Amino acid sequence: MERTDIIPVFGMTCGHCVNTVNRALQNVNGVLALDVSLEESRAQVTYDDELASLASIKSAIIEEGYSVEPAGQDQGAESARQERTLQDAVPQAITEQAEASLQEGGKITFRITGMSCVNCARSIEKAFKSAAGIKSVAINFSLEKGYVEFDGALTDRQKILEIVKDAGYSAIEAGEEQKASGIALKEKFRFFFALALTIPLVVFMYVMPFGHAETNYVIFALATLVQFVSGITFYSGAYHSLKNRSTNMDVLIALGISAAYFYSVFSLFFISPHAHTFFDSSAMLITFILLGKMLEARAKGKTSQALQKLLSLQADQACLIESGKERMVAASLVKVGDVVLVRPGEKIPVDGEIIVGATAVDESMITGESIPVEKAAGDAVTGATLNTSGVIRVRTTKTGKDTLLAQIIKMVEDAQSDKAPIQRIADTVSNYFVPFVVASALITFALWYTVLTVPPPEGFSRFLFSFQLMIAVLVIACPCALGLATPTAIMVGSGIGLKRGILFKRASALERIAKLDVILFDKTGTITAGRPEVIGIYPCSTYNIQEVLGIAAGAAANSSHPLSQAILRKAKQRGAARQQVTDVREVSGQGILCSMNGKSVKIGSIRFIAGGKELPPDVRRLREQIDDGGNSAVYLSLYDTVLCIFSLADVVKEDSRAAVQALQKLGIKIALISGDNTKVALAVARQVGIEDVEAEVLPADKIGIVKKWQQKGFTVGMVGDGINDAPALAQADVGIAIGSGTDVAKETGDVILVKNTLMDVERSIRLGRKTLETIKQNFFWAFSYNVLMIPIAAGILYPVNGITLKPEWACVAMWFSSITVVSNSLMLKRYDKKM
């Protein structure tokens, strides 16, 4: 039955937010129609109530980082999606600044220990969603992080950590690294304790140094210590998982080691001291699994190296100037308006503006350019960049989470913590996988014990053989590799992008950019440099080029108009001597009138110069030639005689044509959108090799053009400067914002290209495609591993060639599959050299 509900949506701040909510709801099965309104902060949803529910629709909104309940008074209207950060990954200057606001409630980030698979993360999320006062939650298994937003009523953050503890895991808040270190030591102790006892246990199992019965009792003692000292972690995890009505890897492991251990105890004490036991299998399972977890953690740690390198760039201290005196303080204590002194060779500790001094600043960590940029009083500087030469004083304009470095860190962390759409496959499969494995193990036992007539190996009864195969199936099918397939690849891919100055705000953008069919380019500031340049000088008198440039520069120096500034730059480039002019008067929209040695000089439009008179034929011919090229013309006259015509244009960037050609080679269709007149837009399009052109388009109308391409069934990317193109960037499937370093954090796109080069558009698409390819490879290995290995563990090869898989070797194969997936993701780093 069709039903329509109006759902309040809090946290939306722009068209991009609306687009995100739209996409989330479109993915809900059963949704028939949508109307998401930013102004009214609501979504009107029409859906089939037999396929979808109001709860599932609200859940889809919450999963995108928005709220369906009013936020606390301290939250304001800021987007919840934009507020999510990994607090414990942010440098001290950011973390300490954020502490005060967090005390009032809002959000908390913490590290989680004890998760063994993606189902653990789902179990913790389920525990939070059933708790009061929780607005949204995201648990990232690969990063081992939790992100929770809560309302104003829940101010005790310790209660949030208790929810994690009640779910059976340990939560460590940002800044409590000592606790994390203690837990890591405990995990190492469990492994080495198990290893120290398992080695002699296995030796005794085969050597029997004290006689068969006596040795079995010694093996029992060793196995018991391993089982309930090192193995207790699996029992704890399984208990809490089942308590939360979910199943995870701990459940499978607990079933496997319990079956092996307790059957062995029963055999030893109630059947015969000489009976066959599985004490070695139980102990070796625990040891191998703990080893696998350590290796896996080490491999996963390598995927976040790029972010860690970025974090290390933050300056720790600042030289604060107070009452004319210098004082060294922690960078986190600097406030907006404070003045800091930065000497040559020091990192600039804050975002600010130079008020005294001049220097050259190495901004390579932001822009990628190795050549230092000259800076003087009045110029902006960015925190964590390097002062290479002069002594400067900087007035602080931004601190803490508002700094550029903090914004970049936040983007990368959001991308790494976000779930890509393809991850839903793994989440869905993992949710049903453990019950399937348990059923498969029981069926394996039943078939071999009661149905199949193939005789068991020598020394095994039919029961023992069936029992061993059942344990092997339980152990080998753990879905770790499946849970790691997407997040590890996303972490590596976003890290490569970060290194190259390509910032993916969300993991979904990294996936969607790989599927683009069409890219729409804004013209001004994207394809072109965004400012006019003199591209032609046409003298119409006996004056030469240097002379007309000198006269024009003298007049233009008195105007801030972009065309005047372009003529000034050209005069400076050509070394023309600027002439002195007097009686300067600027006529708005027309030009400049002044005097030079008592002679009247005009520079401006043809109407301003001609004053209603007929211009000479040669001047008219030049004018037509310039107009046909789609360029602007500025006229210079002396005593009403035209001395020169300057042809100006917004020049195409050096790499624009190469970028367009590279994208076309990838099979992507390119179109140009411009608010400029058709003649100019077509001229620019011809220069870079674009055939589809939409000209004389208002910024508000660009969104309609994006929709037009989308209605044709194309996945559309929009590339713009992120300001006037914001509506189109938000509507596009992937918004790609071109921005200089100082503006990068303010853009509305899904992807930010810090270096301001269009070649990074092509690089980002190739990176997205390579990352998606790696994710698919990871899924192939994870799925094919289980498809192939579960039947082998179940004994399918035994009737053919006598091959079976012991539980302990099934364990090795299990964690080897996880390491294979992580290693395949790490191989993405090789692609860095090809970008």
Side-chain angles (χ1 to χ4, degrees):
M1 180 177 175
E2 188 172 301
R3 174 176 170 177
T4 299
D5 280 315
I6 296 177
I7 304 168
V9 182
F10 298 94
M12 296 190 297
T13 60
C14 62
H16 179 70
C17 299
V18 172
N19 198 38
T20 300
V21 174
N22 257 313
R23 277 200 295 262
L25 295 178
Q26 286 167 1
N27 288 328
V28 177
N29 185 32
V31 171
L32 305 174
L34 289 171
D35 179 19
V36 181
S37 172
L38 174 63
E39 292 76 19
E40 298 176 17
S41 296
R42 57 97 178 135
Q44 181 174 308
V45 186
T46 302
Y47 59 98
D48 185 336
D49 63 1
E50 292 183 1
L51 299 175
S53 65
L54 184 60
S56 66
I57 292 170
K58 287 183 176 181
S59 178
I61 295 171
I62 292 169
E63 285 181 5
E64 286 300 323
Y66 302 92
S67 176
V68 295
E69 299 291 339
Q73 294 180 352
D74 59 327
Q75 293 295 298
E78 186 178 358
S79 167
R81 178 184 61 81
Q82 292 177 332
E83 289 176 352
R84 280 201 314 262
T85 56
L86 286 173
Q87 183 190 353
D88 60 328
V90 179
Q92 182 183 6
I94 302 169
T95 303
E96 293 183 4
Q97 189 81 15
E99 279 292 318
S101 62
L102 287 176
Q103 294 292 346
E104 299 175 2
K107 59 185 173 63
I108 182 174
T109 300
F110 45 87
R111 179 184 169 187
I112 302 171
T113 60
M115 292 192 295
S116 56
C117 67
V118 68
N119 279 348
C120 296
R122 294 175 64 88
S123 177
I124 298 171
E125 286 182 350
K126 186 184 292 185
F128 271 108
K129 287 177 180 178
S130 63
I134 302 298
K135 289 169 57 181
S136 66
V137 58
I139 305 299
N140 189 299
F141 165 58
S142 184
L143 282 175
E144 297 181 334
K145 303 290 184 191
Y147 322 84
V148 174
E149 295 182 66
F150 49 94
D151 59 29
L154 184 60
T155 56
D156 186 357
R157 294 188 294 172
Q158 194 59 38
K159 290 182 179 179
I160 293 174
L161 303 183
E162 289 293 329
I163 295 173
V164 180
K165 187 176 180 180
D166 290 342
Y169 307 90
S170 297
I172 304 156
E173 195 173 350
E176 297 186 353
E177 288 79 8
Q178 289 182 346
K179 287 186 181 180
S181 178
I183 291 175
L185 287 173
K186 188 180 291 185
E187 291 175 351
K188 285 184 178 180
F189 167 76
R190 288 194 184 108
F191 164 68
F192 286 109
F193 181 84
L195 180 65
L197 297 184
T198 300
I199 291 175
L201 184 152
V202 173
V203 172
F204 292 167
M205 195 81 178
Y206 290 96
V207 176
M208 294 290 175
F210 312 114
H212 199 286
E214 292 79 3
T215 302
N216 270 347
Y217 288 116
V218 174
I219 291 173
F220 158 71
L222 295 174
T224 302
L225 289 171
V226 174
Q227 189 85 8
F228 297 107
V229 175
S230 294
I232 195 66
T233 181
F234 303 119
Y235 287 112
S236 175
Y239 166 75
H240 287 287
S241 178
L242 295 172
K243 178 184 173 183
N244 292 313
R245 298 179 182 179
S246 63
T247 52
N248 62 9
M249 176 178 158
D250 288 335
V251 174
L252 291 179
I253 295 171
L255 284 172
I257 62 176
S258 295
Y261 175 79
F262 288 109
Y263 171 78
S264 299
V265 171
F266 177 79
S267 296
L268 179 64
F269 289 98
F270 297 98
I271 298 178
S272 168
H274 300 278
H276 188 93
T277 63
F278 290 94
F279 285 125
D280 58 331
S281 294
S282 172
M284 290 174 72
L285 280 175
I286 293 170
T287 304
F288 281 141
I289 290 170
L290 291 174
L291 173 62
K293 289 177 72 173
M294 286 178 59
L295 294 175
E296 187 181 289
R298 184 177 178 183
K300 285 194 295 182
K302 293 181 180 179
T303 62
S304 59
Q305 286 178 354
L307 183 58
Q308 295 302 321
K309 289 179 181 177
L310 183 63
L311 296 171
S312 66
L313 295 174
Q314 182 71 34
D316 295 324
Q317 290 189 311
C319 183
L320 189 65
I321 305 295
E322 292 179 322
S323 303
K325 297 181 179 179
E326 300 177 14
R327 182 166 65 93
M328 296 301 297
V329 299
S332 57
L333 298 178
V334 179
K335 301 180 179 64
V336 173
D338 285 349
V339 176
V340 297
L341 181 72
V342 188
R343 296 181 174 85
E346 293 180 347
K347 287 180 181 179
I348 298 173
V350 294
D351 287 10
E353 178 184 328
I354 297 176
I355 56 174
V356 177
T359 188
V361 178
D362 180 355
E363 296 184 330
S364 57
M365 79 98 175
I366 297 293
T367 65
E369 296 296 331
S370 58
I371 300 175
V373 180
E374 297 295 329
K375 300 278 187 178
D379 290 335
V381 291
T382 303
T385 55
L386 185 66
N387 178 22
T388 64
S389 54
V391 178
I392 54 174
R393 292 193 180 195
V394 177
R395 179 181 288 112
T396 304
T397 56
K398 294 177 182 177
T399 61
K401 66 180 181 180
D402 297 322
T403 62
L404 176 62
L405 182 61
Q407 295 278 0
I408 293 175
I409 290 168
K410 179 182 182 297
M411 289 179 200
V412 178
E413 289 167 342
D414 281 349
Q416 293 185 347
S417 63
D418 181 40
K419 287 184 180 179
I422 198 170
Q423 176 66 16
R424 293 172 185 167
I425 299 172
D427 288 347
T428 302
V429 172
S430 296
N431 198 35
Y432 298 100
F433 196 69
V434 175
F436 165 77
V437 171
V438 173
S440 299
L442 293 174
I443 291 170
T444 297
F445 177 82
L447 287 174
W448 280 102
Y449 187 60
T450 62
V451 178
L452 299 175
T453 59
V454 181
E458 186 178 349
F460 280 81
S461 67
R462 183 170 296 280
F463 174 83
L464 289 176
F465 182 58
S466 304
F467 187 77
Q468 177 177 282
L469 295 178
M470 180 185 73
I471 296 173
V473 172
L474 283 173
V475 171
I476 204 165
C478 294
C480 297
L482 200 59
L484 293 169
T486 299
T488 53
I490 291 293
M491 289 171 70
V492 176
S494 58
I496 292 172
L498 170 64
K499 185 177 178 182
R500 292 287 177 174
I502 303 169
L503 303 181
F504 294 92
K505 285 187 174 181
R506 302 176 70 81
S508 51
L510 191 56
E511 179 180 340
R512 287 200 306 271
I513 201 169
K515 301 177 181 178
L516 290 182
D517 304 307
V518 176
I519 293 183
L520 309 179
F521 281 97
D522 171 54
K523 179 182 78 70
T524 305
T526 304
I527 292 289
T528 65
R531 67 177 189 179
E533 297 290 350
V534 176
I535 61 171
I537 304 173
Y538 305 97
C540 304
S541 64
T542 57
Y543 287 83
N544 61 36
I545 289 179
Q546 292 297 99
E547 290 173 328
V548 296
L549 270 174
I551 297 170
N558 297 278
S559 171
S560 60
H561 193 281
L563 297 180
S564 297
Q565 292 300 307
I567 292 172
L568 272 175
R569 286 195 298 272
K570 193 66 175 181
K572 185 176 181 180
Q573 290 171 6
R574 296 289 294 264
R578 185 193 303 177
Q579 299 297 314
Q580 295 297 319
V581 297
T582 56
D583 303 324
V584 179
R585 182 164 61 91
E586 186 168 2
V587 182
S588 179
Q590 297 188 53
I592 298 170
L593 175 65
C594 58
S595 296
M596 184 183 71
N597 299 327
K599 300 175 183 179
S600 174
V601 175
K602 287 183 178 179
I603 184 170
S605 67
I606 188 169
R607 184 176 59 181
F608 181 58
I609 298 297
K613 297 179 182 178
E614 184 76 16
L615 291 172
D618 59 335
V619 174
R620 292 202 301 271
R621 282 195 300 272
L622 282 171
R623 175 193 175 187
E624 290 172 2
Q625 180 182 335
I626 293 170
D627 287 347
D628 289 342
N631 301 326
S632 302
V634 173
Y635 299 81
L636 175 68
S637 72
L638 181 65
Y639 270 149
D640 294 330
T641 299
V642 177
L643 299 183
C644 177
I645 304 176
F646 296 96
S647 176
L648 297 97
D650 185 3
V651 295
V652 172
K653 292 179 181 177
E654 293 181 1
D655 61 353
S656 291
R657 183 174 180 81
V660 169
Q661 290 175 340
L663 288 166
Q664 289 169 339
K665 286 181 180 178
L666 293 178
I668 295 174
K669 190 174 183 62
I670 309 297
L672 182 71
I673 303 178
S674 175
D676 220 331
N677 66 68
T678 302
K679 192 176 290 186
V680 172
L682 288 172
V684 170
R686 280 195 300 270
Q687 289 184 61
V688 297
I690 297 177
E691 295 181 0
D692 289 282
V693 179
E694 299 270 3
E696 301 180 30
V697 178
L698 295 174
D701 297 329
K702 290 182 180 180
I703 191 172
I705 296 172
V706 175
K707 288 180 179 179
K708 181 182 74 174
W709 285 96
Q710 289 173 329
Q711 288 166 0
K712 294 179 181 179
F714 294 114
T715 302
V716 180
M718 174 70 195
V719 185
D721 60 17
I723 309 293
N724 60 338
D725 300 311
L729 287 169
Q731 175 62 36
D733 296 287
V734 179
I736 305 174
I738 303 282
S740 63
T742 53
D743 296 326
V744 65
K746 303 174 184 178
E747 302 290 355
T748 57
D750 301 293
V751 181
I752 311 299
L753 308 182
V754 179
K755 295 183 182 179
N756 207 22
T757 169
L758 287 188
M759 287 304 297
D760 280 345
V761 177
E762 187 261 354
R763 291 187 184 104
S764 63
I765 292 172
R766 283 195 290 115
L767 177 58
R769 289 182 177 181
K770 188 64 179 177
T771 303
L772 187 59
E773 178 187 328
T774 299
I775 292 172
K776 290 177 178 178
Q777 289 173 354
N778 287 347
F779 277 150
F780 169 78
W781 287 115
F783 280 121
S784 61
Y785 163 81
N786 283 305
V787 168
L788 291 173
M789 296 306 291
I790 290 178
I792 293 173
I796 195 172
L797 295 180
Y798 178 70
V800 179
N801 52 22
I803 292 178
T804 59
L805 199 62
K806 286 187 176 183
E808 53 267 34
W809 299 117
C811 171
V812 172
M814 178 269 293
W815 59 253
F816 181 75
S817 70
S818 296
I819 294 175
T820 299
V821 165
V822 175
S823 299
N824 188 51
S825 296
L826 290 172
M827 287 179 69
L828 254 178
K829 290 186 176 182
R830 296 182 181 180
Y831 191 68
D832 186 19
K833 299 176 182 177
K834 300 180 182 179
M835 291 188 65

